Structures are given as C-alpha cells and as structure tokens.
Amino acid sequence: DKKVVLITGCSSGIGLSLAVRLASDPDKTFKVYATMRNLAKKERLLECVKSLHKDTLDILQMDVTVRQSILDARDRVAEKRVDILVCNAGVGLTGPLEVQSLDSMRRILEVNLFGTIQTIQAFLPGMKARGRGRILVTGSTGGLQGLPFNEVYCASKFAIEGACESLAVLLQHFNIHVTLIECGPVNTDFLVNLQRAELGDASLQQVDALTLSLYEKYLRHCGDVFQNAAQDTEDIVKVFLEAIQSASPAFRYFSGGGVPPLTKLKITDPDGSRYIRALSKIMFSAEDQ
Ligand code: NAD
C-alpha cells in the first residue's frame, strides 16, 4: 500500500518541491495530496509533474484558515486516511512593530498558528484511531530565536514549537510522530509573499529615524543572507525525506545540518544577553553604514 501524504501550501516553495519529490518517487511509495488555498495557482505544480502518472498525485483545495475547507479536503482523500500530514503553509510579516495593523498581525497567526493547529486537529482522530501517523511541520529559525522586525512572525513560529512539542509528548502513546523541520533561509516565494513594509511606504512616515535606519540595515542584511546563504527547496526536501524514511524520527531536524550557532547561544547562555548582543552585532553593525 502507498503511504498517503497530505501537504498544505503546495502552490509554491517548499510545499511544491516536497509534493513533486514524493509524487515522483521511483518506487511509487507515496500517494500525494498536494493542497493549496487557491487552485488557480496549480499550474506551476502541474508543470513540474507533467510526466507523472496520475496515480501518485492529486491536487485539492485547502485554505488552512477555513475549517470547512480542511474538512472537505480530508473527505476527498480516496484512501480515507492520511499517513503523513505535512503542515507547511505559512506567511511572513516584516516591518517595525508599531506600523503593523491588528488585522495583519491576526492574519499571520491565523495562517501560521491556528491554520497549522486546526489542520492537525482535523487529521488527529483518524491517526489516533489507527494507532499510527506522522505529522511534519515546516518550522523556522524564527521559531527558535527572535529576529528584529519579525516579531509577529517569530511569535507565530515560537507558538508552533510549543504546540508541537506538547503534542509530541502525548502522541508517542499513539505511535504518532510529530516532527519539526527547522529551516533557515530558503529560496522560495516567501519573500515575495510576505507582507513587508517598504522604506518609502506612507505607513513608515510616523516611525522614528533610528528605527528606520536599523530597518534599512535589517533589509540589507536580509537581502545578503538570502543571496549568499539561502538553501534551495531540494535541500529542505532531503531533510523531510530523512524524517519520513526514519523508523523513529526525531522531534527536530535542522535544514542546515546542526543547530544554528546563534540558536546554540540560547542554550549555552540561557539569560539571553549573549544572543541579543550577537544578533544585534550581526544585523546592525555592517561596516558601510
Ligand atoms: P512560499 O510563500 O513559497 O510558500 C508558502 C505557501 O503557503 C504558499 O504556497 C502559500 O500560498 C501558502 N499559504 C499561505 N496562506 C495559506 C492558507 N491560508 N492556506 C493554505 N496555504 C496557504 O514560502 P515557503 O518558503 O515555501 O514557505 C513554506 C513554509 O516554510 C512556511 O511555513 C514558512 O514559514 C516556512 N519557512 C520558510 C523559510 C524561507 O526562508 N523561505 C524559512 C523558514 C521557514
């Protein structure tokens, strides 16, 4: 029997790459349900799987913020079970905190936090009843360490850590493995899709000069990091595969191999001051400024 995999957020990025890789598995191990909020965006995925047999991939509509759409997608899984659930959909929000509207902050939590949780809720009873299952969640360095100008995004990803860790403790009694794939910067549409305050925006006119100059440095730093250090989605997919193929997957995998050095600082220096100084230095003290 094929392993039935359902993935959220497959119109681009990590979700798309993972869906393509699993659906084109040479041994046809997987039946993939690639879900996306907006089916009008399915062309890119279809383009990547053109040569595939239809029996390893189906595309379903699913908006993780709409409970009924999750339940409808679940009901359309022909096998009537999902062995591996991948909660991947997510959005970013960048800019000085004082300009973020409550609506835009809510939106991030709706997708990243409640979207992930209510997706898990929908598939949990089935997994518990069968006494097996895998839940993989795309985590982020921003869920392990704070990043200036990303307060709400980090809050959403930190929250995911708490939710998943709590669940993992319980679900081992049901033979259900919860796994976070912690990603650093990845070359995807994430930067295009995120809500980001731009330097010329009217909303930034009220913001003080020091914040704006630090934000400018942040944007430059972020641009450099994505240009020089970002991983490709294929690298991330390999880590997902390692977790999927392991008989007993760990709770956390780090896309770059080990724990990122700055995240380590949080563990070796739990009062937090070294982390805060180190990140500030890295982000804000570039020489040309
Ligand atoms: P992406 O923007 O290409 O993919 C995110 C996907 O989520 C998109 O396809 C988008 O349509 C979908 N999505 C957004 N709202 C949705 C909703 N309400 N319902 C269903 N789908 C929805 O970016 P990505 O980098 O592939 O992001 C995937 C995950 O990886 C996210 O959770 C993100 O936080 C995480 N991540 C990304 C990076 C990075 O640098 N790209 C780093 C760490 C973690």
Side-chain angles (χ1 to χ4, degrees):
D1 256 13
K2 287 191 173 63
K3 287 186 178 144
V4 180
V5 188
L6 187 140
I7 309 169
T8 67
C10 290
S11 61
S12 59
I14 297 167
L16 182 146
S17 283
L18 183 63
V20 172
R21 169 61 183 86
L22 295 180
S24 43
D25 188 79
D27 300 326
K28 289 196 171 189
T29 313
F30 305 101
K31 168 67 187 282
V32 179
Y33 288 89
T35 73
M36 55 185 74
R37 178 186 39 182
N38 181 0
L39 283 180
K41 291 191 180 162
K42 71 179 175 191
E43 291 312 318
R44 203 153 139 194
L45 174 59
L46 284 175
E47 187 65 25
C48 296
V49 295
K50 254 204 297 226
S51 55
L52 278 185
H53 295 284
K54 176 89 176 93
D55 60 348
T56 58
L57 182 85
D58 248 329
I59 299 177
L60 298 177
Q61 196 274 338
M62 188 201 283
D63 182 334
V64 298
T65 65
V66 180
R67 187 159 185 78
Q68 195 56 49
S69 121
I70 301 173
L71 299 179
D72 289 347
R74 185 189 65 186
D75 292 345
R76 292 181 60 188
V77 172
E79 294 79 2
K80 297 292 166 210
R81 66 166 206 282
V82 166
D83 301 310
I84 304 171
L85 173 66
V86 182
C87 296
N88 165 76
V91 281
L93 178 67
T94 298
L97 185 65
E98 51 271 51
V99 307
Q100 309 299 1
S101 69
L102 190 55
D103 274 351
S104 59
M105 297 191 285
R106 281 207 169 110
R107 175 87 201 134
I108 299 307
L109 289 167
E110 286 294 339
V111 178
N112 296 2
L113 177 58
F114 297 120
T116 301
I117 288 182
Q118 69 175 346
T119 304
I120 293 173
Q121 279 181 318
F123 292 91
L124 201 49
M127 286 185 178
K128 281 182 168 176
R130 286 187 299 279
R132 44 175 276 184
R134 299 283 177 101
I135 299 169
L136 291 103
V137 178
T138 312
S140 170
T141 309
L144 301 168
Q145 58 187 67
L147 306 170
F149 300 112
N150 287 274
E151 291 79 6
V152 180
Y153 176 73
C154 286
S156 75
K157 292 292 186 181
F158 268 66
I160 286 295
E161 295 284 322
C164 289
E165 196 168 280
S166 306
L167 262 178
V169 177
L170 176 73
L171 294 183
Q172 61 176 348
H173 295 279
F174 294 87
N175 189 28
I176 300 170
H177 297 273
V178 181
T179 293
L180 279 157
I181 309 296
E182 312 285 12
C183 303
V186 190
N187 283 314
T188 65
D189 288 355
F190 189 75
L191 285 187
V192 180
N193 289 338
L194 63 66
Q195 298 178 48
R196 180 161 88 178
E198 300 300 339
L199 284 171
D201 285 0
S203 68
L204 292 189
Q205 276 169 14
Q206 308 300 320
V207 175
D208 69 276
L210 177 55
T211 302
L212 284 182
S213 84
L214 293 171
Y215 186 45
E216 196 174 349
K217 286 182 185 175
Y218 162 78
L219 289 176
R220 209 172 307 165
H221 170 80
C222 192
D224 286 350
V225 165
F226 269 86
Q227 198 157 33
N228 301 320
Q231 291 185 286
D232 289 325
T233 55
E234 286 73 21
D235 303 325
I236 309 301
V237 166
K238 277 188 198 140
V239 184
F240 269 96
L241 269 180
E242 187 188 339
I244 287 172
Q245 284 164 351
S246 164
S248 181
F251 175 61
R252 280 197 188 90
Y253 289 77
F254 295 91
S255 70
V259 184
L262 283 171
T263 306
K264 251 185 205 156
L265 270 187
K266 288 192 52 172
I267 303 160
T268 55
D269 182 58
D271 87 14
S273 31
R274 280 187 67 207
Y275 171 73
I276 289 169
R277 273 199 308 272
L279 186 62
S280 176
K281 195 167 170 204
I282 289 169
M283 271 194 181
F284 298 135
S285 63
E287 267 174 33
D288 58 340
Q289 290 153 39

